[in-house]
Amino acid sequence: MSKKRIDYKSSGVDISSGNLFIEKIKPLARSTFTEGVVSDLGGFGGFFRIPQGLKKPCLVSATDGVGTKLKIAFEAGKHSTVGIDLVAMCANDIIVCGATPLFFLDYFATGKLSLDEGIEVVKGIAEGCRQAEMALIGGETAEMPGFYKEGEYDLAGFAVGIVDEANILPSGNIKENDVIIGLASSGLHSNGFSLVRKLFFDELGLSVKDEFPTEKGKTVGDVLLEPTKIYVKTVKPLLNAYPVKAIAHITGGGLIENIPRILQKNLSAEINSDSWELPNIFRFIMAQDMIEREELYRTFNMGIGLVLIVDEKESDNILTHCISSGQKGWKIGRIVRGNHKVIIN
Protein backbone atom coordinates (compact mmCIF):
# COMPACT_ATOMS: atom_id res chain seq x y z
CA MET A 1 0.00 0.00 0.00
CA SER A 2 1.58 3.26 -1.13
CA LYS A 3 1.79 6.21 1.21
CA LYS A 4 -0.09 9.42 0.49
CA ARG A 5 2.14 12.01 -1.16
CA ILE A 6 2.05 15.60 0.00
CA ASP A 7 3.91 18.68 -1.17
CA TYR A 8 4.39 22.33 -0.28
CA LYS A 9 1.40 23.41 -2.41
CA SER A 10 -0.95 20.99 -0.65
CA SER A 11 0.14 22.52 2.68
CA GLY A 12 -0.96 25.94 1.46
CA VAL A 13 2.19 27.48 -0.02
CA ASP A 14 2.28 27.99 -3.79
CA ILE A 15 5.89 28.67 -4.84
CA SER A 16 4.89 29.23 -8.46
CA SER A 17 2.39 31.92 -7.45
CA GLY A 18 5.05 33.56 -5.29
CA ASN A 19 7.51 33.57 -8.18
CA LEU A 20 4.88 35.12 -10.47
CA PHE A 21 4.26 37.81 -7.83
CA ILE A 22 7.97 38.68 -7.74
CA GLU A 23 8.10 38.99 -11.52
CA LYS A 24 5.06 41.29 -11.54
CA ILE A 25 6.43 43.64 -8.88
CA LYS A 26 9.94 43.95 -10.34
CA PRO A 27 8.94 46.86 -12.65
CA LEU A 28 7.40 48.65 -9.65
CA ALA A 29 10.64 48.37 -7.71
CA ARG A 30 12.77 49.39 -10.69
CA SER A 31 10.69 52.56 -11.03
CA THR A 32 12.18 53.70 -7.70
CA PHE A 33 15.84 53.00 -8.53
CA THR A 34 18.28 55.85 -7.99
CA GLU A 35 21.87 56.17 -9.21
CA GLY A 36 23.17 54.42 -6.10
CA VAL A 37 21.51 51.09 -6.90
CA VAL A 38 24.08 48.44 -7.88
CA SER A 39 22.02 45.23 -8.04
CA ASP A 40 18.71 44.22 -9.59
CA LEU A 41 16.02 42.36 -7.67
CA GLY A 42 16.21 38.62 -7.16
CA GLY A 43 19.55 38.16 -5.45
CA PHE A 44 20.18 37.31 -1.81
CA GLY A 45 20.74 40.95 -0.92
CA GLY A 46 20.30 44.44 -2.30
CA PHE A 47 23.42 46.46 -3.06
CA PHE A 48 23.69 50.23 -2.85
CA ARG A 49 26.72 52.42 -3.52
CA ILE A 50 27.63 54.79 -0.66
CA PRO A 51 27.44 58.40 -1.91
CA GLN A 52 30.72 60.30 -2.16
CA GLY A 53 31.63 63.70 -0.75
CA LEU A 54 30.91 63.20 2.95
CA LYS A 55 33.77 63.76 5.41
CA LYS A 56 32.54 61.31 8.08
CA PRO A 57 29.55 59.45 6.62
CA CYS A 58 27.19 57.81 9.07
CA LEU A 59 24.47 55.35 8.12
CA VAL A 60 21.08 55.80 9.75
CA SER A 61 18.53 52.98 9.90
CA ALA A 62 14.83 52.91 10.72
CA THR A 63 12.20 50.20 10.82
CA ASP A 64 8.44 50.28 11.34
CA GLY A 65 5.10 48.81 10.32
CA VAL A 66 1.62 50.12 9.57
CA GLY A 67 -0.07 48.75 12.69
CA THR A 68 -3.81 48.22 13.03
CA LYS A 69 -4.51 50.70 10.24
CA LEU A 70 -4.23 47.54 8.14
CA LYS A 71 -7.53 46.38 9.68
CA ILE A 72 -9.23 49.34 8.00
CA ALA A 73 -7.66 48.37 4.66
CA PHE A 74 -8.93 44.80 5.01
CA GLU A 75 -12.46 45.93 5.81
CA ALA A 76 -12.54 48.56 3.08
CA GLY A 77 -10.91 46.30 0.50
CA LYS A 78 -8.49 49.11 -0.31
CA HIS A 79 -4.81 48.13 -0.40
CA SER A 80 -3.17 50.83 -2.53
CA THR A 81 -2.24 53.30 0.22
CA VAL A 82 -0.91 51.27 3.16
CA GLY A 83 2.40 50.82 1.32
CA ILE A 84 2.83 54.60 1.34
CA ASP A 85 2.25 54.53 5.11
CA LEU A 86 4.89 51.84 5.49
CA VAL A 87 7.55 53.87 3.67
CA ALA A 88 6.53 57.12 5.33
CA MET A 89 7.03 55.85 8.86
CA CYS A 90 10.63 54.91 8.06
CA ALA A 91 11.54 57.76 5.68
CA ASN A 92 10.28 60.43 8.06
CA ASP A 93 12.29 58.92 10.92
CA ILE A 94 15.43 59.14 8.78
CA ILE A 95 14.95 62.69 7.48
CA VAL A 96 14.45 64.08 11.01
CA CYS A 97 17.95 62.82 11.86
CA GLY A 98 19.29 65.19 9.20
CA ALA A 99 19.94 62.24 6.91
CA THR A 100 19.13 61.53 3.26
CA PRO A 101 17.09 58.34 2.74
CA LEU A 102 18.93 55.91 0.43
CA PHE A 103 17.07 52.62 0.15
CA PHE A 104 14.13 50.61 1.48
CA LEU A 105 13.25 46.94 1.96
CA ASP A 106 9.80 45.56 2.73
CA TYR A 107 8.43 42.44 4.41
CA PHE A 108 5.00 41.28 3.26
CA ALA A 109 3.50 38.29 5.09
CA THR A 110 0.13 36.64 4.50
CA GLY A 111 -1.67 33.34 4.93
CA LYS A 112 -2.55 32.93 1.26
CA LEU A 113 -1.02 35.22 -1.33
CA SER A 114 -3.51 37.18 -3.44
CA LEU A 115 -1.68 38.49 -6.49
CA ASP A 116 -4.06 41.41 -6.99
CA GLU A 117 -3.94 42.56 -3.36
CA GLY A 118 -0.20 42.03 -3.12
CA ILE A 119 0.48 44.05 -6.26
CA GLU A 120 -1.69 46.91 -4.94
CA VAL A 121 0.31 46.92 -1.71
CA VAL A 122 3.64 47.03 -3.56
CA LYS A 123 2.34 49.79 -5.85
CA GLY A 124 1.86 51.85 -2.68
CA ILE A 125 5.34 50.96 -1.42
CA ALA A 126 6.86 52.02 -4.75
CA GLU A 127 4.89 55.28 -4.70
CA GLY A 128 6.10 55.96 -1.16
CA CYS A 129 9.69 55.32 -2.20
CA ARG A 130 9.37 57.75 -5.11
CA GLN A 131 7.98 60.39 -2.75
CA ALA A 132 10.86 59.73 -0.35
CA GLU A 133 13.40 59.75 -3.21
CA MET A 134 14.82 56.38 -2.16
CA ALA A 135 15.14 53.05 -3.92
CA LEU A 136 13.16 49.89 -3.21
CA ILE A 137 16.03 47.42 -3.60
CA GLY A 138 14.59 44.26 -2.09
CA GLY A 139 12.17 42.62 0.26
CA GLU A 140 10.59 39.38 1.40
CA THR A 141 7.21 37.84 0.67
CA ALA A 142 6.15 35.15 3.12
CA GLU A 143 3.13 32.88 2.61
CA MET A 144 2.25 31.28 5.97
CA PRO A 145 -1.00 29.29 5.90
CA GLY A 146 -2.78 29.06 9.24
CA PHE A 147 -0.82 31.97 10.70
CA TYR A 148 -2.97 34.84 9.39
CA LYS A 149 -6.72 35.05 8.96
CA GLU A 150 -8.03 34.74 5.43
CA GLY A 151 -7.73 38.06 3.58
CA GLU A 152 -5.25 39.53 6.08
CA TYR A 153 -1.55 40.32 5.88
CA ASP A 154 1.13 42.20 7.75
CA LEU A 155 3.73 44.70 6.57
CA ALA A 156 7.07 45.80 7.93
CA GLY A 157 9.69 48.04 6.40
CA PHE A 158 13.35 48.88 6.85
CA ALA A 159 15.16 51.93 5.49
CA VAL A 160 18.72 53.21 5.46
CA GLY A 161 19.90 56.80 5.07
CA ILE A 162 23.19 58.63 5.25
CA VAL A 163 24.40 61.82 6.92
CA ASP A 164 27.73 63.53 7.56
CA GLU A 165 28.46 63.13 11.27
CA ALA A 166 28.72 66.92 11.72
CA ASN A 167 25.15 67.33 10.44
CA ILE A 168 23.37 64.78 12.65
CA LEU A 169 20.22 66.12 14.29
CA PRO A 170 19.36 67.11 16.95
CA SER A 171 22.32 69.48 17.07
CA GLY A 172 22.30 69.92 20.86
CA ASN A 173 22.30 73.73 20.69
CA ILE A 174 18.59 74.37 21.25
CA LYS A 175 18.03 77.34 23.53
CA GLU A 176 15.28 79.31 25.23
CA ASN A 177 13.04 81.30 22.81
CA ASP A 178 13.86 79.14 19.80
CA VAL A 179 10.80 78.86 17.58
CA ILE A 180 8.83 75.66 17.04
CA ILE A 181 7.47 75.24 13.51
CA GLY A 182 4.82 72.61 12.88
CA LEU A 183 4.32 71.04 9.45
CA ALA A 184 0.82 69.87 8.63
CA SER A 185 -0.07 66.20 8.73
CA SER A 186 -2.33 64.60 6.15
CA GLY A 187 -4.57 63.22 8.88
CA LEU A 188 -4.15 60.37 11.33
CA HIS A 189 -1.03 59.05 9.60
CA SER A 190 -0.39 55.55 11.03
CA ASN A 191 -0.80 55.93 14.78
CA GLY A 192 -3.61 55.50 17.27
CA PHE A 193 -5.74 53.21 15.13
CA SER A 194 -6.68 50.85 17.97
CA LEU A 195 -8.31 53.85 19.66
CA VAL A 196 -9.74 55.09 16.33
CA ARG A 197 -11.35 51.72 15.63
CA LYS A 198 -12.81 51.59 19.13
CA LEU A 199 -14.32 55.06 18.73
CA PHE A 200 -15.63 54.76 15.17
CA PHE A 201 -16.76 51.16 15.08
CA ASP A 202 -17.47 50.11 18.69
CA GLU A 203 -18.75 53.36 20.17
CA LEU A 204 -20.25 55.21 17.19
CA GLY A 205 -21.38 52.12 15.29
CA LEU A 206 -19.98 53.28 11.95
CA SER A 207 -18.57 51.06 9.21
CA VAL A 208 -15.87 51.70 6.62
CA LYS A 209 -18.55 51.91 3.90
CA ASP A 210 -20.60 54.63 5.65
CA GLU A 211 -20.31 58.21 4.43
CA PHE A 212 -18.03 60.16 6.73
CA PRO A 213 -20.38 62.35 8.81
CA THR A 214 -18.63 65.65 8.03
CA GLU A 215 -17.13 64.94 4.59
CA LYS A 216 -19.70 64.57 1.84
CA GLY A 217 -18.73 62.08 -0.85
CA LYS A 218 -16.09 60.34 1.27
CA THR A 219 -16.52 57.11 3.19
CA VAL A 220 -15.20 56.47 6.69
CA GLY A 221 -12.68 54.13 5.06
CA ASP A 222 -11.50 56.85 2.67
CA VAL A 223 -10.82 59.29 5.49
CA LEU A 224 -9.18 56.81 7.84
CA LEU A 225 -6.94 55.42 5.09
CA GLU A 226 -5.56 58.79 4.00
CA PRO A 227 -1.84 57.96 3.63
CA THR A 228 0.87 59.34 5.85
CA LYS A 229 2.58 62.48 4.59
CA ILE A 230 6.20 61.99 3.50
CA TYR A 231 8.25 65.11 4.26
CA VAL A 232 11.51 64.33 2.44
CA LYS A 233 10.98 66.66 -0.54
CA THR A 234 10.33 69.58 1.81
CA VAL A 235 12.98 68.89 4.44
CA LYS A 236 15.95 67.69 2.38
CA PRO A 237 16.51 71.00 0.52
CA LEU A 238 15.69 72.88 3.72
CA LEU A 239 18.56 71.18 5.55
CA ASN A 240 20.96 72.26 2.80
CA ALA A 241 19.88 75.90 3.00
CA TYR A 242 19.13 76.71 6.66
CA PRO A 243 20.49 75.89 10.13
CA VAL A 244 17.70 73.69 11.52
CA LYS A 245 18.50 72.67 15.10
CA ALA A 246 16.22 69.67 15.51
CA ILE A 247 13.25 67.89 13.95
CA ALA A 248 10.74 65.53 15.56
CA HIS A 249 8.52 63.07 13.74
CA ILE A 250 5.14 63.17 15.49
CA THR A 251 4.14 59.52 15.60
CA GLY A 252 2.90 57.33 18.47
CA GLY A 253 2.96 59.43 21.61
CA GLY A 254 1.91 62.57 19.76
CA LEU A 255 3.37 66.00 20.46
CA ILE A 256 3.60 65.25 24.18
CA GLU A 257 5.96 62.28 23.89
CA ASN A 258 7.92 63.02 20.72
CA ILE A 259 9.13 66.60 21.17
CA PRO A 260 11.07 65.83 24.40
CA ARG A 261 13.10 63.24 22.45
CA ILE A 262 15.00 66.10 20.77
CA LEU A 263 15.27 68.53 23.73
CA GLN A 264 17.98 68.98 26.32
CA LYS A 265 16.86 68.01 29.83
CA ASN A 266 16.57 71.61 31.10
CA LEU A 267 14.20 72.75 28.34
CA SER A 268 10.50 72.41 27.62
CA ALA A 269 8.26 73.15 24.65
CA GLU A 270 5.32 75.52 24.99
CA ILE A 271 2.71 74.89 22.28
CA ASN A 272 -0.27 77.07 21.31
CA SER A 273 -2.97 74.65 20.15
CA ASP A 274 -4.87 77.46 18.40
CA SER A 275 -1.95 78.29 16.11
CA TRP A 276 -2.59 75.72 13.36
CA GLU A 277 -5.39 74.47 11.18
CA LEU A 278 -6.92 71.35 12.71
CA PRO A 279 -7.76 68.69 10.09
CA ASN A 280 -11.37 67.66 9.82
CA ILE A 281 -10.75 64.15 11.18
CA PHE A 282 -9.50 65.57 14.47
CA ARG A 283 -12.32 68.10 14.72
CA PHE A 284 -14.77 65.22 14.34
CA ILE A 285 -13.00 63.10 16.97
CA MET A 286 -12.93 66.00 19.44
CA ALA A 287 -16.61 66.75 18.81
CA GLN A 288 -17.58 63.29 20.10
CA ASP A 289 -16.27 64.32 23.55
CA MET A 290 -15.26 60.75 24.41
CA ILE A 291 -11.48 61.17 24.62
CA GLU A 292 -9.73 63.41 27.16
CA ARG A 293 -7.71 66.30 25.73
CA GLU A 294 -4.38 65.04 27.07
CA GLU A 295 -5.09 61.58 25.66
CA LEU A 296 -5.72 63.13 22.23
CA TYR A 297 -2.38 64.93 22.24
CA ARG A 298 -0.56 61.84 23.57
CA THR A 299 -2.09 59.46 21.00
CA PHE A 300 -2.54 61.42 17.76
CA ASN A 301 -0.48 63.96 15.82
CA MET A 302 -3.46 66.38 16.00
CA GLY A 303 -2.61 67.88 12.61
CA ILE A 304 1.15 68.28 13.07
CA GLY A 305 3.24 65.57 11.43
CA LEU A 306 6.68 67.11 11.86
CA VAL A 307 8.10 69.68 14.28
CA LEU A 308 11.15 71.84 13.49
CA ILE A 309 13.09 73.78 16.12
CA VAL A 310 14.89 76.81 14.70
CA ASP A 311 16.47 80.05 15.77
CA GLU A 312 13.96 82.90 15.92
CA LYS A 313 15.86 84.99 13.35
CA GLU A 314 15.67 82.12 10.81
CA SER A 315 12.07 81.15 11.51
CA ASP A 316 10.35 83.34 8.90
CA ASN A 317 12.64 82.20 6.08
CA ILE A 318 12.32 78.55 7.05
CA LEU A 319 8.54 78.75 7.25
CA THR A 320 8.44 80.50 3.86
CA HIS A 321 10.58 77.73 2.37
CA CYS A 322 8.19 75.08 3.67
CA ILE A 323 5.11 76.84 2.36
CA SER A 324 6.72 77.52 -1.03
CA SER A 325 7.39 73.77 -1.37
CA GLY A 326 3.65 73.17 -1.06
CA GLN A 327 3.80 72.14 2.59
CA LYS A 328 1.48 73.87 5.05
CA GLY A 329 3.19 75.02 8.22
CA TRP A 330 2.85 77.36 11.18
CA LYS A 331 4.79 78.76 14.10
CA ILE A 332 3.18 76.74 16.86
CA GLY A 333 5.26 77.55 19.93
CA ARG A 334 8.55 78.34 21.64
CA ILE A 335 11.24 76.66 23.68
CA VAL A 336 11.20 77.64 27.35
CA ARG A 337 13.16 76.82 30.48
CA GLY A 338 11.65 73.76 32.07
CA ASN A 339 11.86 70.12 33.03
CA HIS A 340 11.75 68.35 29.65
CA LYS A 341 7.98 68.60 29.14
CA VAL A 342 5.52 69.75 26.51
CA ILE A 343 3.00 72.34 27.68
CA ILE A 344 -0.01 72.61 25.38
CA ASN A 345 -2.07 75.76 25.90
Side-chain angles (χ1 to χ4, degrees), residues 68-245:
T68 59
K69 187 173 186 175
L70 289 176
K71 286 281 191 182
I72 312 295
F74 304 153
E75 293 170 21
K78 183 179 180 182
H79 308 279
S80 59
T81 59
V82 289
I84 300 175
D85 291 298
L86 181 66
V87 175
M89 300 307 288
C90 297
N92 289 340
D93 277 353
I94 284 176
I95 198 72
V96 302
C97 297
T100 297
L102 296 178
F103 60 83
F104 187 82
L105 295 96
D106 69 277
Y107 175 76
F108 176 86
T110 186
K112 179 67 176 175
L113 179 63
S114 164
L115 284 177
D116 290 341
E117 287 181 6
I119 289 168
E120 285 299 298
V121 170
V122 178
K123 281 181 180 177
I125 294 172
E127 172 59 24
C129 284
R130 287 190 292 270
Q131 290 183 25
E133 299 180 335
M134 65 178 172
L136 174 60
I137 64 169
E140 174 69 13
T141 303
E143 196 172 20
M144 298 187 286
F147 199 83
Y148 294 94
K149 292 180 181 178
E150 184 177 351
E152 296 193 354
Y153 53 81
D154 198 12
L155 294 174
F158 175 80
V160 171
I162 195 164
V163 60
D164 210 322
E165 188 174 334
N167 298 327
I168 292 174
L169 296 180
S171 62
N173 63 344
I174 299 169
K175 67 180 188 304
E176 192 175 1
N177 289 321
D178 279 346
V179 171
I180 303 170
I181 292 174
L183 302 187
S185 71
S186 55
L188 289 161
H189 285 185
S190 298
N191 299 104
F193 272 83
S194 295
L195 180 55
V196 165
R197 288 167 49 239
K198 182 174 179 60
L199 173 65
F200 277 77
F201 306 142
D202 298 346
E203 301 297 333
L204 300 180
L206 295 168
S207 80
V208 294
K209 302 295 185 184
D210 291 335
E211 185 172 75
F212 195 85
T214 57
E215 291 209 30
K216 194 171 181 62
K218 286 189 175 182
T219 66
V220 170
D222 291 335
V223 173
L224 298 186
L225 287 172
E226 181 68 30
T228 305
K229 174 75 177 178
I230 295 175
Y231 296 94
V232 173
K233 289 182 180 179
T234 293
V235 174
K236 192 161 73 169
L238 176 67
L239 294 175
N240 292 327
Y242 297 99
V244 176
K245 296 186 175 186

